[in-house]
Amino acid sequence: KFEFIESSKSKNIEKNNPDLLLELLAINLFKRDHNFEITLLFSKNRFITLTTEVIEVTLEDQKLEDDKSN
């Protein structure tokens, strides 16, 4: 989960497809003036770019609704 994001943009991601699974390949970080650009690169040439002054990220496990083992 990314906090304090000022703007975001994406490419090749179907925003209206709730079943779309994204496979994260890499995370890049660039410093531009007083802001950071965080680029999340996914398979099939999909990506999301986030712009922020402060980087605050939390990694959380997500349980799938169909997962009945726990």
Side-chain angles (χ1 to χ4, degrees):
K1 176 172 64 170
F2 290 87
E3 301 283 348
F4 308 112
I5 299 302
E6 295 173 8
S7 68
S8 67
K9 57 185 174 182
S10 63
K11 184 174 181 183
N12 298 328
I13 296 178
E14 300 170 28
K15 298 173 189 170
N16 296 326
N17 182 357
D19 297 325
L20 178 66
L21 295 177
L22 298 173
E23 181 182 354
L24 181 64
L25 302 176
I27 300 174
N28 292 319
L29 176 68
F30 303 99
K31 177 82 168 155
R32 301 206 187 265
D33 298 323
H34 298 289
N35 289 328
F36 294 97
E37 282 189 4
I38 304 166
T39 301
L40 307 172
L41 178 62
F42 300 95
S43 60
K44 299 183 181 177
N45 196 32
R46 297 176 173 140
F47 65 85
I48 298 173
T49 301
L50 309 171
T51 303
T52 184
E53 283 187 28
V54 177
I55 300 173
E56 186 168 326
V57 180
T58 305
L59 181 62
E60 298 177 352
D61 282 336
Q62 302 258 331
K63 288 188 178 182
L64 298 176
E65 291 181 24
D66 295 340
D67 184 9
K68 298 182 186 195
S69 62
N70 290 333

